[in-house]
Amino acid sequence: MIRLAANLSMLFTEHDFLERFAAAADAGFSGVEYLFPYAYSPDTLRSALEASGLQQVLFNLPPGDWEAGERGVASLPGREAEFRDSVTEALRYAVALDCPRVHAMAGLIPEGADESTRQAHHATYVANLRFAAREAAKLGREVLIEPINTRDMPRYFLSHQDQAMAVLQEVGEPNLRLQFDLYHCQIMEGDLVRHLECQFEHIGHIQIAGVPERHEPDVGEVHYPAVFERLKELGYVDWVGCEYRPAGNTRAGLAWGRPFGLRPE
Ligand SMILES: O=C(O)C(=O)CO
């Protein structure tokens, strides 16, 4: 069955981070994801997971200098050593938190990049992802890549589904899989159900949000009941990450998730 994970980087932000685990469990979520665990020790996070009875389902590799605007280093020529270190650190946390998969953010392409620059980013990306997947495979983990819309993240290197599928094929490692964020796909391409059908065997994780405001899934232009129905027909039995900014009261905004076990007040 489809299980919902609360994205603690966006949900329950009225609480300090470590209190969000209990809030998510109280609301009926059975897993959590968030951007980065690195501000806390693995032991601290494992205690929060155990106390709340939640599973850790995803987090990101260290992204470079996030505050300075960097959004990952996986495709950045010259940052290969940093990327390899980020893989080691992320896998250390993944093992400690029993987290099955980690997301390698691609990074930004320079303003006005020419074709040779794009090719250099692509070659770096493929080589880095192959390394990451092989290291992760030694520990029974998956590495994910996610096309991200360029309205929210201008110049993000991976922005379309066909680009992601070409990278997955070129890297050729079975544990390198797709993080399919329906919010991003709707903004960039639409045609959600057909993309789900065509790419289904490569999907390692799904994320949802309303479009265009990135609020609750039932706020906006995407009719998620139809998407979930198709996912069930396709046999999707993994996690769906709820990566959205609540429009109002977090708990009241959970009514959409009642069919999946969420407990709105
Ligand atoms: O920005 C997003 O949608 C992400 O999932 C980053 O990991």
Side-chain angles (χ1 to χ4, degrees), residues 174-189:
N175 67 321
L176 181 71
R177 305 185 76 201
L178 180 65
Q179 182 171 323
F180 195 119
D181 187 317
L182 288 148
Y183 164 77
H184 293 312
C185 184
Q186 175 64 15
I187 289 172
M188 296 301 285
E189 307 175 60

Side-chain angles (χ1 to χ4, degrees), residues 113-130:
D114 60 15
E115 186 52 30
S116 66
T117 301
R118 288 188 172 279
Q119 287 174 3
H121 275 253
H122 176 82
T124 303
Y125 195 41
V126 167
N128 277 342
L129 290 173
R130 185 171 291 126

Side-chain angles (χ1 to χ4, degrees), residues 57-85:
V57 303
L58 180 72
F59 59 82
N60 294 354
L61 271 62
D65 188 345
W66 185 267
E67 297 309 319
E70 294 192 324
R71 292 296 182 265
V73 299
S75 75
L76 304 189
R79 306 279 287 271
E80 292 85 351
E82 178 183 348
F83 178 79
R84 287 195 292 273
D85 291 344

Side-chain angles (χ1 to χ4, degrees), residues 30-196:
S30 42
V32 291
E33 61 178 45
Y34 37 80
L35 285 173
F36 311 112
Y38 311 107
Y40 302 92
S41 71
D43 285 349
T44 298
L45 294 170
R46 191 167 56 238
S47 298
L49 289 166
E50 288 168 357
S52 58
L54 295 171
Q55 281 186 251
Q56 182 77 45
V57 303
L58 180 72
F59 59 82
N60 294 354
L61 271 62
D65 188 345
W66 185 267
E67 297 309 319
E70 294 192 324
R71 292 296 182 265
V73 299
S75 75
L76 304 189
R79 306 279 287 271
E80 292 85 351
E82 178 183 348
F83 178 79
R84 287 195 292 273
D85 291 344
S86 78
V87 171
T88 302
E89 181 71 342
L91 291 175
R92 180 170 78 90
Y93 272 79
V95 169
L97 302 179
D98 193 20
C99 184
R101 45 189 68 96
V102 293
H103 172 210
M105 293 192 76
L108 306 181
I109 195 92
E111 291 276 6
D114 60 15
E115 186 52 30
S116 66
T117 301
R118 288 188 172 279
Q119 287 174 3
H121 275 253
H122 176 82
T124 303
Y125 195 41
V126 167
N128 277 342
L129 290 173
R130 185 171 291 126
F131 169 82
R134 289 175 177 173
E135 290 302 301
K138 295 173 187 173
L139 298 168
R141 311 288 150 178
E142 292 180 346
V143 177
L144 305 184
I145 59 173
E146 179 193 27
I148 292 179
N149 86 75
T150 52
R151 181 165 67 213
D152 288 347
M153 209 172 280
R155 298 186 290 110
Y156 192 71
F157 179 68
L158 186 71
S159 55
H160 286 80
Q161 300 297 322
D162 59 352
Q163 183 191 3
M165 298 311 291
V167 168
L168 293 179
Q169 184 175 4
E170 187 170 349
V171 172
E173 296 294 336
N175 67 321
L176 181 71
R177 305 185 76 201
L178 180 65
Q179 182 171 323
F180 195 119
D181 187 317
L182 288 148
Y183 164 77
H184 293 312
C185 184
Q186 175 64 15
I187 289 172
M188 296 301 285
E189 307 175 60
D191 209 15
L192 297 179
V193 169
R194 290 292 178 262
H195 276 294
L196 283 172

